[in-house]
Amino acid sequence: MGVFIPRTFETVESVKVGMMGRVPDFTISTLRKTQQDYSRNIYYLTKSEYIRSQTQREVAETVHDCLLYGIGLIRTDLVDDTREESVLEWTTNAEGKKIVQFTKKEVQKYYGVKSRRVDPYDFYPNPSPDAYRRDKLGWCFERSIVDAM
């Protein structure tokens, strides 16, 4: 029994696997020598935020979209992931003894910049012929389904 795997599928999957465990090499450069320290700091900040936000899967899926559909989009948002959770806390009971008990508190799980993949079928660019240029894009839509309740 033979299995035929198309070459494009093999390439797409190998790129995805290659991206999963690696941090991309961000190229941030300046034309002025006086701003080299500034651009180096931006490089370190970008790289550390990428690692901290754990967006490797999103970038790998975007590369997959780019190779398969011809367009790959990443949206970067400020995320404030705060949840109510049960936390162990030391308290004092009526007799004055220290005890440990669960209390509900808001816990901040993640605060920072996080990237996510935009589905190419949910992205509607400006149909203007000049929209391929960033400064002429004007507008675009991203379809999303929201629970209104």
Side-chain angles (χ1 to χ4, degrees), residues 54-72:
Q54 299 176 349
T55 56
Q56 291 90 341
R57 180 172 295 284
E58 301 293 325
V59 170
E61 291 295 326
T62 302
V63 169
H64 173 266
D65 290 345
C66 193
L67 292 170
L68 203 61
Y69 304 119
I71 185 171

Side-chain angles (χ1 to χ4, degrees), residues 22-24 26 28 40-56 59 76-80 110-116:
R22 295 187 185 149
V23 176
F26 298 101
I28 299 170
R40 191 175 319 114
N41 289 343
I42 295 292
Y43 166 78
Y44 290 134
L45 179 68
T46 307
K47 187 173 179 178
S48 66
E49 278 298 312
Y50 180 85
I51 293 168
R52 188 173 79 93
S53 65
Q54 299 176 349
T55 56
Q56 291 90 341
V59 170
T76 305
D77 297 319
L78 180 63
V79 176
D80 183 5
Y110 180 82
Y111 182 83
V113 176
K114 205 165 201 172
S115 299
R116 67 175 179 83

